[in-house]
């Protein structure tokens, strides 16, 4: 046997050993419908940088913000296929895919913003992430982003249920939200985030509902100048990774991803509070009228929705209510 051949045979076990212990090296695409600079985008970008550093560049991230990879619904499908590796998505969008998460999507299920934060930070928050992971939908739930409190914005002012009667209000594509708006006397109309602005402008809808940063950054305030503080939905937003991608990561890499996703949860919260305050100020400057409403009639009107959708989660809802 010549020398070269001997060397090759000697090196084989080493090569085999290297190839089995070597970490997966890949670039992960993160999809976001929000624009650059938005709290969720910034927090995930920072998360990506930290993970890249902690894995010595084995895991790299590329942020696709501004909805360039499609609507949230399309992106969720892409994540399930592994074509997009990661995204932050409203739990509202995920509800029709993984119905087990709908307990958080019910109107007025959280007492207030703080209550929602305590729930997602605790064991119930982890349980809902696990429900995503353990579903058949090929995603792993990693952490939560804060999506604030959703209020109604309309062309004509809404001060009470009577004012809202018959108005067409855009909601996310989840039957629970259509039922919620219908229960309030409006007519819920489902469409993607990217369609809202022109629907408002052309009068296809009379209003929509969202938090101040989205109302501002997606330009909805240009076509709806009344913001009624109903606080009917407080929807947290999971960061999910495709299970196809997850299964390619080494256990160490998985731990690193989990760790920094959780860190992003806390980082985004700070950014969120700052962004909400500055968005409210900007919206007021732009001539949006903030309307205080009595929430009780809105709460009462939506009781049948909580009964209908909450029935399978009665125990869970009791536990949510018990979180102080
Ligand atoms: C935003 C949320 C998005 C999207 C949007 C919508 O508040 O962050 O994920 O769900 O609302 O209503 O379409």
């Amino acid at each position: 046997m010549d020398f070269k051949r001997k060397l090759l045979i000697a090196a084989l076990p080493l090569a085999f050993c290297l190839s089995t212990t070597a970490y997966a090296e890949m670039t992960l695409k993160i999809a976001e419908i929000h624009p650059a600079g938005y709290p969720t985008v910034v927090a995930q970008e920072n998360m990506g940088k930290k993970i890249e550093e902690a894995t010595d560049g084995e895991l790299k991230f590329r942020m696709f913000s501004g909805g360039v990879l499609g609507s949230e619904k399309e992106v969720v499908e892409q994540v399930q296929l592994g074509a997009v590796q990661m995204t932050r998505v409203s739990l509202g969008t995920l509800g029709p895919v993984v119905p087990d998460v709908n307990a958080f999507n019910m109107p007025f299920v959280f007492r207030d913003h703080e209550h929602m934060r305590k729930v997602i930070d605790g064991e119930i928050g982890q349980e809902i992430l696990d429900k995503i992971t353990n579903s058949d939908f090929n995603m792993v739930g990693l952490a939560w982003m804060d999506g604030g409190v959703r209020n109604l914005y309309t062309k004509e002012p809404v001060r009470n249920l009577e004012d809202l009667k018959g108005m067409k209000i855009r909601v996310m594509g989840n039957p629970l939200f259509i039922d919620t708006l219908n229960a309030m006397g409006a007519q819920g109309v489902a469409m993607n985030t990217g369609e809202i602005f022109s629907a408002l402008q052309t009068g296809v809808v009379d209003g929509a509902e969202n938090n101040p940063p989205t109302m501002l950054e997606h330009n909805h305030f240009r076509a709806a100048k009344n913001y009624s503080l109903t606080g009917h939905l407080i929807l947290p937003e999971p960061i999910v990774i495709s299970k196809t991608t997850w299964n390619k990561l080494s256990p160490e890499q998985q731990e690193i991803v989990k760790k920094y996703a959780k860190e992003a949860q806390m980082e985004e919260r700070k950014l969120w509070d700052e962004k909400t305050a500055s968005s409210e100020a900007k919206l007021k400057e732009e001539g949006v009228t903030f309307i205080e409403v009595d929430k009780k009639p809105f709460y009462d009107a939506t009781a049948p929705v909580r009964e209908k959708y909450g029935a399978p989660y009665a125990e869970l809802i009791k536990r949510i209510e018990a979180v102080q």
Side-chain angles (χ1 to χ4, degrees), residues 32-34 38 40 72 88-93 146-147 150 170-172 191-194 196 209-211 214 218 235 237 272:
E32 254 292 350
I33 58 144
H34 290 306
Y38 201 87
T40 56
E72 287 198 341
R88 175 236 34 111
V89 68
S90 173
L91 205 61
T93 307
D146 198 320
R150 294 173 79 104
R170 178 273 174 181
V171 294
M172 273 184 263
M191 66 181 71
N192 290 332
T193 325
I196 303 172
E209 47 82 49
N210 223 311
N211 50 56
T214 294
H218 293 259
L235 304 178
E237 310 182 332
W272 183 263

Tab-separated table of all heavy atoms in Angstrom, residues 32-34 38 40 72 88-93 146-147 150 170-172 191-194 196 209-211 214 218 235 237 272, ligand 1:
chain	number	residue	atom	x	y	z
A	32	GLU	N	-40.886	38.579	9.372
A	32	GLU	CA	-41.635	39.528	10.206
A	32	GLU	C	-42.511	40.381	9.299
A	32	GLU	O	-42.045	40.863	8.270
A	32	GLU	CB	-40.660	40.472	10.921
A	32	GLU	CG	-40.458	40.229	12.386
A	32	GLU	CD	-41.678	40.525	13.245
A	32	GLU	OE1	-42.652	41.106	12.767
A	32	GLU	OE2	-41.640	40.146	14.423
A	33	ILE	N	-43.760	40.587	9.692
A	33	ILE	CA	-44.586	41.506	8.893
A	33	ILE	C	-44.364	42.960	9.312
A	33	ILE	O	-44.725	43.874	8.611
A	33	ILE	CB	-46.094	41.183	8.982
A	33	ILE	CG1	-46.548	41.232	10.438
A	33	ILE	CG2	-46.425	39.853	8.336
A	33	ILE	CD1	-47.933	41.769	10.569
A	34	HIS	N	-43.746	43.148	10.481
A	34	HIS	CA	-43.514	44.517	10.953
A	34	HIS	C	-42.247	45.091	10.311
A	34	HIS	O	-41.345	44.350	9.918
A	34	HIS	CB	-43.405	44.538	12.479
A	34	HIS	CG	-44.717	44.270	13.151
A	34	HIS	ND1	-45.851	44.990	12.867
A	34	HIS	CD2	-45.078	43.339	14.077
A	34	HIS	CE1	-46.863	44.523	13.594
A	34	HIS	NE2	-46.416	43.525	14.328
A	38	TYR	N	-39.119	48.102	14.444
A	38	TYR	CA	-40.259	47.727	15.310
A	38	TYR	C	-39.713	46.870	16.468
A	38	TYR	O	-38.758	46.102	16.277
A	38	TYR	CB	-41.256	46.926	14.468
A	38	TYR	CG	-42.672	46.863	14.999
A	38	TYR	CD1	-43.598	47.854	14.686
A	38	TYR	CD2	-43.097	45.804	15.805
A	38	TYR	CE1	-44.906	47.790	15.151
A	38	TYR	CE2	-44.402	45.730	16.279
A	38	TYR	CZ	-45.302	46.727	15.951
A	38	TYR	OH	-46.599	46.663	16.415
A	40	THR	N	-40.404	44.093	17.966
A	40	THR	CA	-40.227	42.648	17.762
A	40	THR	C	-39.084	42.372	16.786
A	40	THR	O	-38.344	41.402	16.944
A	40	THR	CB	-41.524	42.007	17.229
A	40	THR	OG1	-41.917	42.683	16.023
A	40	THR	CG2	-42.658	42.101	18.229
A	72	GLU	N	-48.727	36.776	7.561
A	72	GLU	CA	-48.431	35.873	8.687
A	72	GLU	C	-48.925	34.459	8.403
A	72	GLU	O	-48.268	33.477	8.735
A	72	GLU	CB	-49.085	36.397	9.968
A	72	GLU	CG	-48.385	37.616	10.504
A	72	GLU	CD	-48.691	37.908	11.954
A	72	GLU	OE1	-49.694	37.416	12.489
A	72	GLU	OE2	-47.907	38.653	12.562
A	88	ARG	N	-41.992	35.415	14.248
A	88	ARG	CA	-42.802	35.837	15.391
A	88	ARG	C	-44.176	36.081	14.797
A	88	ARG	O	-44.305	36.689	13.743
A	88	ARG	CB	-42.248	37.139	15.983
A	88	ARG	CG	-43.113	37.672	17.093
A	88	ARG	CD	-43.604	39.090	16.909
A	88	ARG	NE	-43.879	39.525	15.587
A	88	ARG	CZ	-45.107	39.784	15.124
A	88	ARG	NH1	-46.159	39.623	15.851
A	88	ARG	NH2	-45.274	40.212	13.875
A	89	VAL	N	-45.165	35.535	15.432
A	89	VAL	CA	-46.485	35.600	14.826
A	89	VAL	C	-47.516	35.861	15.911
A	89	VAL	O	-47.314	35.475	17.062
A	89	VAL	CB	-46.742	34.279	14.057
A	89	VAL	CG1	-46.883	33.100	14.994
A	89	VAL	CG2	-47.939	34.368	13.148
A	90	SER	N	-48.582	36.563	15.546
A	90	SER	CA	-49.629	36.775	16.547
A	90	SER	C	-50.274	35.441	16.883
A	90	SER	O	-50.488	34.602	16.015
A	90	SER	CB	-50.691	37.728	16.018
A	90	SER	OG	-51.762	37.771	16.939
A	91	LEU	N	-50.604	35.275	18.149
A	91	LEU	CA	-51.289	34.050	18.549
A	91	LEU	C	-52.648	33.957	17.847
A	91	LEU	O	-53.181	32.880	17.644
A	91	LEU	CB	-51.469	34.033	20.068
A	91	LEU	CG	-51.607	32.662	20.684
A	91	LEU	CD1	-50.380	31.817	20.446
A	91	LEU	CD2	-51.894	32.764	22.156
A	92	GLY	N	-53.166	35.121	17.469
A	92	GLY	CA	-54.428	35.158	16.728
A	92	GLY	C	-54.320	34.418	15.408
A	92	GLY	O	-55.218	33.669	15.022
A	93	THR	N	-53.212	34.602	14.719
A	93	THR	CA	-52.985	33.926	13.434
A	93	THR	C	-52.787	32.427	13.655
A	93	THR	O	-53.150	31.613	12.817
A	93	THR	CB	-51.713	34.502	12.753
A	93	THR	OG1	-51.843	35.915	12.694
A	93	THR	CG2	-51.513	33.945	11.360
A	146	ASP	N	-44.371	40.624	23.273
A	146	ASP	CA	-45.534	41.357	23.749
A	146	ASP	C	-46.182	42.068	22.571
A	146	ASP	O	-45.499	42.786	21.838
A	146	ASP	CB	-45.050	42.386	24.781
A	146	ASP	CG	-46.170	42.897	25.642
A	146	ASP	OD1	-47.266	43.126	25.103
A	146	ASP	OD2	-45.941	43.059	26.846
A	147	GLY	N	-47.464	41.867	22.394
A	147	GLY	CA	-48.176	42.573	21.320
A	147	GLY	C	-49.141	43.608	21.874
A	147	GLY	O	-50.048	44.061	21.168
A	150	ARG	N	-55.081	45.629	22.378
A	150	ARG	CA	-55.760	46.006	21.132
A	150	ARG	C	-57.043	46.775	21.424
A	150	ARG	O	-57.851	46.355	22.250
A	150	ARG	CB	-56.057	44.760	20.295
A	150	ARG	CG	-54.770	44.087	19.799
A	150	ARG	CD	-55.063	42.785	19.126
A	150	ARG	NE	-55.545	42.940	17.772
A	150	ARG	CZ	-54.808	42.725	16.674
A	150	ARG	NH1	-53.530	42.377	16.786
A	150	ARG	NH2	-55.337	42.856	15.475
A	170	ARG	N	-62.262	45.258	10.569
A	170	ARG	CA	-61.287	44.241	10.163
A	170	ARG	C	-60.750	43.515	11.394
A	170	ARG	O	-60.400	44.140	12.396
A	170	ARG	CB	-60.129	44.888	9.392
A	170	ARG	CG	-59.047	43.892	8.983
A	170	ARG	CD	-58.005	43.686	10.060
A	170	ARG	NE	-57.052	42.623	9.705
A	170	ARG	CZ	-56.050	42.235	10.477
A	170	ARG	NH1	-55.855	42.803	11.644
A	170	ARG	NH2	-55.236	41.281	10.092
A	171	VAL	N	-60.647	42.187	11.267
A	171	VAL	CA	-60.002	41.365	12.299
A	171	VAL	C	-59.015	40.414	11.622
A	171	VAL	O	-59.025	40.262	10.403
A	171	VAL	CB	-61.038	40.538	13.115
A	171	VAL	CG1	-61.937	41.429	13.942
A	171	VAL	CG2	-61.865	39.620	12.206
A	172	MET	N	-58.195	39.754	12.421
A	172	MET	CA	-57.304	38.722	11.883
A	172	MET	C	-58.132	37.506	11.468
A	172	MET	O	-59.235	37.320	11.981
A	172	MET	CB	-56.318	38.287	12.966
A	172	MET	CG	-55.090	39.127	13.030
A	172	MET	SD	-53.981	38.416	14.259
A	172	MET	CE	-54.404	39.428	15.626
A	191	MET	N	-59.095	39.834	7.186
A	191	MET	CA	-58.143	40.069	6.076
A	191	MET	C	-56.731	40.140	6.645
A	191	MET	O	-56.546	40.285	7.861
A	191	MET	CB	-58.502	41.331	5.286
A	191	MET	CG	-58.381	42.616	6.043
A	191	MET	SD	-58.836	44.064	5.054
A	191	MET	CE	-60.604	43.872	4.919
A	192	ASN	N	-55.745	40.030	5.756
A	192	ASN	CA	-54.349	40.089	6.185
A	192	ASN	C	-53.958	41.507	6.589
A	192	ASN	O	-54.559	42.482	6.116
A	192	ASN	CB	-53.427	39.633	5.055
A	192	ASN	CG	-53.558	38.148	4.798
A	192	ASN	OD1	-53.886	37.382	5.704
A	192	ASN	ND2	-53.328	37.756	3.560
A	193	THR	N	-52.911	41.594	7.378
A	193	THR	CA	-52.435	42.897	7.860
A	193	THR	C	-52.164	43.850	6.693
A	193	THR	O	-52.537	45.024	6.750
A	193	THR	CB	-51.121	42.714	8.665
A	193	THR	OG1	-51.178	41.481	9.376
A	193	THR	CG2	-50.889	43.863	9.604
A	194	GLY	N	-51.534	43.338	5.662
A	194	GLY	CA	-51.126	44.186	4.546
A	194	GLY	C	-52.286	44.768	3.744
A	194	GLY	O	-52.093	45.680	2.938
A	196	ILE	N	-55.096	46.007	5.230
A	196	ILE	CA	-55.947	46.869	6.069
A	196	ILE	C	-55.966	48.321	5.586
A	196	ILE	O	-57.024	48.939	5.488
A	196	ILE	CB	-55.484	46.837	7.549
A	196	ILE	CG1	-55.488	45.406	8.082
A	196	ILE	CG2	-56.357	47.726	8.411
A	196	ILE	CD1	-54.867	45.243	9.462
A	209	GLU	N	-58.852	47.004	14.505
A	209	GLU	CA	-58.523	47.016	15.944
A	209	GLU	C	-57.088	46.561	16.086
A	209	GLU	O	-56.675	45.595	15.459
A	209	GLU	CB	-59.522	46.183	16.753
A	209	GLU	CG	-59.868	44.794	16.241
A	209	GLU	CD	-58.841	43.769	16.636
A	209	GLU	OE1	-58.485	43.714	17.813
A	209	GLU	OE2	-58.384	43.027	15.740
A	210	ASN	N	-56.333	47.314	16.855
A	210	ASN	CA	-54.933	46.953	17.059
A	210	ASN	C	-54.315	47.818	18.143
A	210	ASN	O	-54.960	48.698	18.715
A	210	ASN	CB	-54.148	47.064	15.748
A	210	ASN	CG	-53.216	45.878	15.560
A	210	ASN	OD1	-52.464	45.530	16.474
A	210	ASN	ND2	-53.266	45.256	14.400
A	211	ASN	N	-53.010	47.544	18.388
A	211	ASN	CA	-52.265	48.311	19.390
A	211	ASN	C	-51.722	49.595	18.754
A	211	ASN	O	-51.644	49.694	17.521
A	211	ASN	CB	-51.122	47.434	19.932
A	211	ASN	CG	-50.323	46.820	18.797
A	211	ASN	OD1	-49.818	47.540	17.937
A	211	ASN	ND2	-50.236	45.503	18.763
A	214	THR	N	-48.818	49.298	15.933
A	214	THR	CA	-49.259	48.809	14.617
A	214	THR	C	-50.110	49.861	13.919
A	214	THR	O	-49.957	50.100	12.713
A	214	THR	CB	-50.046	47.486	14.767
A	214	THR	OG1	-49.145	46.476	15.248
A	214	THR	CG2	-50.605	47.009	13.435
A	218	HIS	N	-48.170	50.903	10.494
A	218	HIS	CA	-48.800	50.395	9.270
A	218	HIS	C	-49.712	51.462	8.648
A	218	HIS	O	-50.532	51.156	7.785
A	218	HIS	CB	-49.538	49.086	9.545
A	218	HIS	CG	-48.603	47.954	9.891
A	218	HIS	ND1	-48.238	46.979	8.982
A	218	HIS	CD2	-47.921	47.672	11.030
A	218	HIS	CE1	-47.385	46.132	9.559
A	218	HIS	NE2	-47.171	46.536	10.805
A	235	LEU	N	-53.068	40.132	23.053
A	235	LEU	CA	-52.575	38.899	22.411
A	235	LEU	C	-51.060	38.807	22.467
A	235	LEU	O	-50.365	39.625	21.866
A	235	LEU	CB	-52.988	38.883	20.934
A	235	LEU	CG	-54.477	39.029	20.630
A	235	LEU	CD1	-54.696	39.041	19.124
A	235	LEU	CD2	-55.265	37.901	21.273
A	237	GLU	N	-47.431	37.048	21.440
A	237	GLU	CA	-46.994	36.631	20.107
A	237	GLU	C	-45.792	35.694	20.206
A	237	GLU	O	-44.694	36.128	20.546
A	237	GLU	CB	-46.628	37.887	19.304
A	237	GLU	CG	-47.721	38.948	19.361
A	237	GLU	CD	-47.438	40.187	18.543
A	237	GLU	OE1	-46.250	40.529	18.345
A	237	GLU	OE2	-48.406	40.818	18.106
A	272	TRP	N	-41.070	47.502	23.782
A	272	TRP	CA	-42.507	47.626	23.528
A	272	TRP	C	-43.101	48.811	24.304
A	272	TRP	O	-43.865	49.607	23.755
A	272	TRP	CB	-43.235	46.326	23.893
A	272	TRP	CG	-44.678	46.451	23.565
A	272	TRP	CD1	-45.699	46.775	24.419
A	272	TRP	CD2	-45.260	46.349	22.259
A	272	TRP	NE1	-46.873	46.866	23.725
A	272	TRP	CE2	-46.634	46.610	22.396
A	272	TRP	CE3	-44.748	46.069	20.988
A	272	TRP	CZ2	-47.512	46.606	21.316
A	272	TRP	CZ3	-45.615	46.061	19.911
A	272	TRP	CH2	-46.978	46.324	20.074
B	1	LIG	C1	-50.219	43.185	15.190
B	1	LIG	C2	-49.447	41.933	15.402
B	1	LIG	C3	-49.234	41.242	14.086
B	1	LIG	C4	-50.520	41.076	13.305
B	1	LIG	C5	-51.309	42.350	13.250
B	1	LIG	C6	-52.686	42.116	12.637
B	1	LIG	O1	-50.483	43.767	16.431
B	1	LIG	O2	-48.201	42.224	15.965
B	1	LIG	O3	-48.609	40.023	14.338
B	1	LIG	O4	-51.257	40.070	13.878
B	1	LIG	O5	-51.453	42.895	14.546
B	1	LIG	O6	-53.689	42.439	13.259
B	1	LIG	O7	-52.755	41.623	11.511
